[in-house]
Amino acid sequence: GTGANGNANPAGLPSQLDRKIIMTATLDLATDAVSKRYEDVGNIASSAGGFIASSTFGSSGDQQTASVTIRVPAASYQQALNDLRKLGDVKGEQSNANDVTEEYTDLQSRLRNLKATEEQYLAFLLKAADITQVLAVQDRLNSTRADIEQVQGRINLVDHQSDLATITVHLSPPFVAKTDQPNKTAKHGPLEVAADSFEASLAVLVGIATVMLAVAAFSWWLVPVLAVAYLIARRQRTPRAAAASDPPSASA
């Protein structure tokens, strides 16, 4: 491959400075001021010589959320990342550097070949003897020019993506694990506490009554047994009492 100055290295590949690298990153930031940090992301992009490519701003319940995608020059990529990390608590970060130098070199080579073919068809077109030859060459020429536009478009895209790094920032409020518990206790006033206490006491009384009913239901067989035992004991006491009341007989 050849650089801008027309010099090729021995390996036929671009030097390290001419390599095409597409850099992307995603940051998940937690912050109490989503709206303010949303603006700060745009200011960081502008300060780095970039711009906001896309953005969304919404809410999750009563809390704000935002996502911002910025494009900054590759030379300012690391500095922009450092500045963005300071906007909140970094909950997650992903980055990728995709080296597309080989693809870019192949695209340039294909583009040169297509342009050479275009020149040949133009020469054939000038030498065409009749309308049939003109139409045949013109058809090939149109197809070649379509291929040139496609390859050139891909080259332009790689140039754009490698010249400008892409950073997406997700902004959300900090997650509080015990959020539900304070809200629940905060709603409990004196009346609610008293009602809860009454319900708890009522539940205990219902439990005691249930146990007593169960005992009464399953202990019915004790009644006749106790009655028989009582009668036997009473009969045994009666002779003893009679014997104790009779006077002792006189001896001869």
Side-chain angles (χ1 to χ4, degrees):
T2 21
N5 55 6
N7 296 327
N9 56 23
L13 293 174
S15 64
Q16 187 65 29
L17 294 177
D18 295 331
R19 299 192 73 81
K20 294 293 182 179
I21 300 176
I22 299 176
M23 293 180 290
T24 59
T26 301
L27 281 177
D28 292 325
L29 299 179
T31 173
D32 291 322
V34 172
S35 180
K36 178 63 171 64
R37 297 298 172 251
Y38 177 85
E39 297 177 1
D40 292 339
V41 172
N43 293 334
I44 290 175
S46 300
S47 300
F51 57 90
I52 295 178
S54 63
S55 63
T56 58
F57 196 93
S59 61
S60 176
D62 57 350
Q63 297 178 325
Q64 294 177 329
T65 60
S67 293
V68 190
T69 298
I70 63 174
R71 304 293 305 278
V72 296
S76 305
Y77 172 71
Q78 291 297 337
Q79 183 59 49
L81 269 180
N82 291 335
D83 293 340
L84 290 170
R85 292 187 188 106
K86 299 175 183 178
L87 296 182
D89 187 11
V90 179
K91 295 300 183 182
E93 178 176 341
Q94 295 179 344
S95 60
N96 182 53
N98 185 22
D99 191 339
V100 293
T101 305
E102 185 175 353
E103 178 190 358
Y104 189 79
T105 302
D106 291 341
L107 288 171
Q108 287 184 319
S109 177
R110 185 181 177 191
L111 182 62
R112 287 193 297 268
N113 293 334
L114 287 171
K115 287 185 175 181
T117 302
E118 180 188 28
E119 294 295 331
Q120 292 176 356
Y121 285 142
L122 287 174
F124 291 155
L125 189 61
L126 294 176
K127 297 177 181 179
D130 53 41
I131 188 62
T132 302
Q133 292 182 353
V134 169
L135 292 177
V137 173
Q138 186 64 49
D139 182 65
R140 297 289 185 87
L141 183 60
N142 291 340
S143 178
T144 301
R145 284 176 172 172
D147 291 340
I148 289 175
E149 291 180 1
Q150 183 180 7
V151 173
Q152 186 64 62
R154 177 60 184 170
I155 289 176
N156 294 342
L157 178 62
V158 173
D159 278 333
H160 182 68
Q161 290 181 332
S162 58
D163 291 342
L164 294 174
T166 303
I167 305 175
T168 300
V169 183
H170 300 296
L171 300 170
S172 60
F175 175 75
V176 181
K178 297 183 179 180
T179 300
D180 295 338
Q181 187 64 25
N183 291 340
K184 184 177 181 181
T185 50
K187 295 179 181 179
H188 280 191
L191 294 178
E192 288 82 357
V193 173
D196 291 343
S197 300
F198 174 75
E199 291 178 0
S201 301
L202 184 61
V204 172
L205 292 176
V206 170
I208 294 174
T210 302
V211 173
M212 293 179 65
L213 289 175
V215 171
F218 290 99
S219 300
W220 60 268
W221 54 271
L222 291 175
V223 175
V225 173
L226 292 175
V228 172
Y230 173 76
L231 292 175
I232 292 173
R234 184 174 181 181
R235 288 179 181 179
Q236 290 177 351
R237 288 198 302 268
T238 301
R240 291 177 182 176
S245 61
D246 292 340
S249 57
S251 57

